[in-house]
Amino acid sequence: MNQEEKRLLVKRQVEKAYHFMNQADEMISLGHTDLAVNRLYYACFHIVQALFLQSGISVRTHSGIITQFSQHFVKTGMVPIEKGSLLARLFQLRQKADYNCAYDISDEEAKSLIAPVHLFIAEISKMIDNKVINAENEEDE
């Protein structure tokens, strides 16, 4: 994949993250908490995928995304530990919401995730934007 293809793929992943975050907001307002948690997780999933693409990190599984995010960004101090915890928590909740018929996510629990996910998406987007700017500056030199 050349740099332009990579840039476009990163851009599409970021767009998808924001799209899913907006869908989560809609699902919360409609009272569909299971769907909201699913969309919140996938919003985070796609923004992290964008960061990985830009950073040259390849991951094949959802649990791998959590592990690699922690290893490359949380443990290095680039991202606060609570952001890594949020991603892992959303993964677990999404699993329960999608596959566990005996578990219902409460409105309060789902609503409590909205603001942290918005912040997560914004912060990771900023990291991506900063990496793009730094890469362009290096190319100019």
Side-chain angles (χ1 to χ4, degrees):
M1 168 179 344
N2 67 37
Q3 288 292 42
E4 182 60 20
E5 291 169 334
K6 183 175 161 181
R7 188 189 66 73
L8 283 172
L9 193 51
V10 168
K11 182 179 182 234
R12 288 188 179 143
Q13 289 281 3
V14 171
E15 289 169 351
K16 190 160 238 175
Y18 278 98
H19 178 71
F20 283 177
M21 188 171 60
N22 291 334
Q23 286 180 341
D25 292 342
E26 289 176 31
M27 293 301 101
I28 288 284
S29 70
L30 294 172
H32 301 301
T33 55
D34 288 353
L35 290 172
V37 168
N38 177 288
R39 299 291 83 184
L40 289 170
Y41 168 71
Y42 278 107
C44 293
F45 169 88
H46 285 288
I47 202 71
V48 170
Q49 282 286 73
L51 183 62
F52 282 4
L53 277 166
Q54 190 176 62
S55 302
I57 299 167
S58 179
V59 180
R60 296 182 190 266
T61 65
H62 288 270
S63 58
I65 284 179
I66 294 163
T67 301
Q68 293 300 310
F69 184 69
S70 178
Q71 181 179 354
H72 292 282
F73 297 97
V74 177
K75 288 183 180 177
T76 61
M78 295 175 70
V79 174
I81 194 165
E82 62 269 8
K83 300 296 187 252
S85 298
L86 175 65
L87 184 61
R89 181 174 174 220
L90 286 167
F91 175 68
Q92 291 171 344
L93 287 173
R94 193 227 14 130
Q95 294 274 89
K96 288 180 179 178
D98 287 354
Y99 304 115
N100 187 339
C101 295
Y103 182 81
D104 288 320
I105 296 172
S106 70
D107 286 344
E108 298 81 36
E109 186 172 23
K111 287 177 182 177
S112 75
L113 296 167
I114 294 290
V117 170
H118 277 260
L119 188 58
F120 183 90
I121 301 292
E123 289 177 1
I124 301 300
S125 290
K126 190 173 182 179
M127 287 176 68
I128 292 166
D129 290 343
N130 287 339
K131 282 184 174 253
V132 168
I133 291 167
N134 290 339
E136 288 172 356
N137 289 339
E138 288 174 9
E139 288 175 7
D140 292 340
E141 293 176 354

